[in-house]
Amino acid sequence: MSNTHSFEAIVTAMFDCVPDPMVRLGPNGILLEQNEEAEAMFGTWAQGRSYVTLFRQPTLAQAIEQVLQSGISSEAEFIQTSTAGAERFIVRITALPEAKLGIVLHFEDVTHLTEVEEMRRDFVANVSHELRSPLTAILGFIETLRGPAAKDPAAQSRFLQIMQDEAQRMNRLIGDLLSLSRVESQQRQRPDQVIDVMHVVSRVQAALRPLVEESGCQVMIQRPDDVSTELRGDSDQLTQVFRNLIENALKYGGQNKTVTIKMRHETGQGSLKGRLLCVDVIDQGEGIDPLHIPRLTERFYRVDNHRSRAMGGTGLGLAIVKHIVQRHRGRLKITSEQGKGSCFSVILPSE
């Protein structure tokens, strides 16, 4: 066997081992070979086609042409669009030592990096907006207190109260940001303490008694005798989860209504196998439009911006809940029907 044929066999074997899409173009730019991942991406029809037909993106086509002519490796960006959205690839174009063998294109999927960068930009923009509003209000009132209201005790008292409310709002936001950061940093550390979820929920119920009395609501816990509520978890974090969910139910469920907390067992399927403990927090509020439900756990997403802010919400509560539940290898399920209330279910492995 000639050296050229030996090298070609090595290239073919290498293609089968690489998990990313790879193709080999001949010196004339015709696609000679592709691995399974590339075949899934471009289809079997690509075999024997020119790169000009396959990659109709000028930046990539120009880079391929340069490597074919110069033999000097290069890279370019390639964007693949489908019904699922756009995928972004960095394509490394390498000239093979044997000129007659052509060049190899390796496609690395960097879509997730783009998404992370977009999330970071959105997060910074949202935090800036959330902090700018109360800061602008505080600065405006300070200017007013130094000027027109300098000798008006009634106005001073009113403005100082508003400034205090805005400062507390910023403090809550910063507290939630720090809490979210801590939860994310512990995402891969599974809790190893044995705790009783019933005790956690009971403590939260007691702590929220002033809010319960103010709203005129009742909080009822339903736990059948045969339901064990012990599991491995982080007591402080689960306290945060149930405080957030019960507090939301009291605030948004309406005055003089009942908030029900049901505890039950389920048998898990799929990624959540074995016995599960489900804790449903059910309110009798207006319900949530199904359009909003998939986005409720996004950072700073609010169904009603004005109402949420008026009630002291930071837009981070459910994002924190979701991350804590994920750390416990569980999931958060949200169901709602407009006019009939909402149910937030925390589902946790109990074995």
Side-chain angles (χ1 to χ4, degrees):
M1 184 181 289
S2 69
N3 289 338
T4 298
H5 287 155
S6 298
F7 189 77
E8 190 170 6
I10 291 172
V11 171
T12 300
M14 180 185 68
F15 269 38
D16 294 334
C17 298
V18 176
D20 299 325
M22 285 185 71
V23 303
R24 178 166 70 92
L25 304 180
N28 57 356
I30 299 298
L31 192 148
L32 300 178
E33 191 173 2
Q34 59 182 337
N35 64 2
E36 289 184 10
E37 287 71 22
E39 192 171 287
M41 185 171 170
F42 300 114
T44 54
W45 72 274
Q47 197 76 18
R49 305 270 182 167
S50 168
Y51 74 90
V52 177
T53 304
L54 293 174
F55 313 122
R56 298 183 178 183
Q57 295 180 21
T59 303
L60 177 57
Q62 289 170 11
I64 292 172
E65 181 67 26
Q66 289 173 3
V67 176
L68 285 170
Q69 291 179 2
S70 68
I72 300 173
S73 299
S74 182
E75 67 177 39
E77 183 179 88
F78 177 71
I79 297 175
Q80 175 90 335
T81 56
S82 67
T83 54
E87 295 176 297
R88 180 172 170 262
F89 295 85
I90 295 297
V91 186
R92 292 179 176 82
I93 311 163
T94 305
L96 295 172
E98 293 282 348
K100 65 178 69 176
L101 294 178
I103 64 176
V104 169
L105 277 64
H106 171 254
F107 293 77
E108 180 186 2
D109 190 348
V110 293
T111 308
H112 64 289
L113 298 178
T114 304
E115 291 173 348
V116 167
E117 180 60 22
E118 288 177 356
M119 285 176 62
R120 186 194 66 80
R121 284 198 300 266
D122 290 345
F123 184 66
V124 170
N126 282 324
V127 171
S128 300
H129 173 74
E130 294 290 335
L131 288 174
R132 186 182 294 116
S133 297
L135 274 174
T136 300
I138 290 172
L139 290 172
F141 285 124
I142 289 173
E143 185 176 345
T144 303
L145 288 171
R146 284 178 169 174
K151 296 181 180 180
D152 187 342
Q156 288 177 358
S157 178
R158 186 169 68 256
F159 293 157
L160 286 170
Q161 181 60 53
I162 297 173
M163 290 167 66
Q164 181 180 353
D165 293 342
E166 295 294 339
Q168 287 174 342
R169 177 180 156 195
M170 284 193 294
N171 191 49
R172 286 193 299 271
L173 175 60
I174 292 168
D176 278 354
L177 286 170
L178 291 173
S179 180
L180 183 59
S181 177
R182 282 194 299 271
V183 171
E184 288 181 329
S185 69
Q186 298 172 335
Q187 191 79 19
R188 299 186 182 278
Q189 302 171 15
R190 189 166 186 180
D192 56 6
Q193 300 174 340
V194 176
I195 65 166
D196 189 332
V197 174
M198 180 65 191
H199 291 168
V200 171
V201 173
S202 296
R203 287 201 308 268
V204 171
Q205 181 187 25
L208 291 176
R209 187 168 291 118
L211 181 58
V212 172
E213 293 173 353
E214 181 184 338
S215 65
C217 294
Q218 283 186 314
V219 177
M220 301 188 61
I221 301 176
Q222 297 179 1
R223 176 206 168 186
D225 293 337
D226 61 344
V227 173
S228 171
T229 55
E230 286 192 348
L231 50 74
R232 292 189 179 276
D234 185 310
S235 179
D236 290 339
Q237 287 191 345
L238 289 179
T239 296
Q240 192 171 6
V241 165
F242 292 113
R243 183 183 181 97
N244 185 291
L245 295 179
I246 297 171
E247 192 171 0
N248 282 352
L250 291 168
K251 288 180 177 179
Y252 299 105
Q255 295 282 318
N256 304 312
K257 298 289 182 67
T258 299
V259 173
T260 305
I261 303 164
K262 290 183 178 180
M263 300 186 185
R264 54 193 170 85
H265 282 308
E266 276 189 3
T267 301
Q269 298 178 347
S271 59
L272 271 179
K273 295 180 180 179
R275 191 172 68 162
L276 307 174
L277 174 65
C278 303
V279 183
D280 302 326
V281 180
I282 306 166
D283 66 51
Q284 297 177 326
E286 299 173 359
I288 304 165
D289 190 320
L291 179 70
H292 297 291
I293 290 178
R295 301 191 61 190
L296 285 179
T297 56
E298 291 181 16
R299 298 170 186 180
F300 298 111
Y301 186 82
R302 297 180 176 96
V303 175
D304 185 336
N305 277 338
H306 178 74
R307 186 182 179 193
S308 177
R309 288 195 179 96
M311 292 186 173
T314 63
L316 292 172
L318 288 178
I320 294 171
V321 166
K322 181 188 74 171
H323 282 288
I324 291 175
V325 172
Q326 286 178 343
R327 187 200 170 199
H328 285 72
R329 307 297 187 267
R331 71 185 173 95
L332 176 68
K333 180 181 177 183
I334 304 171
T335 55
S336 184
E337 187 175 346
Q338 287 185 289
K340 295 186 178 180
S342 306
C343 176
F344 290 76
S345 301
V346 176
I347 304 171
L348 303 169
S350 61
E351 295 181 338

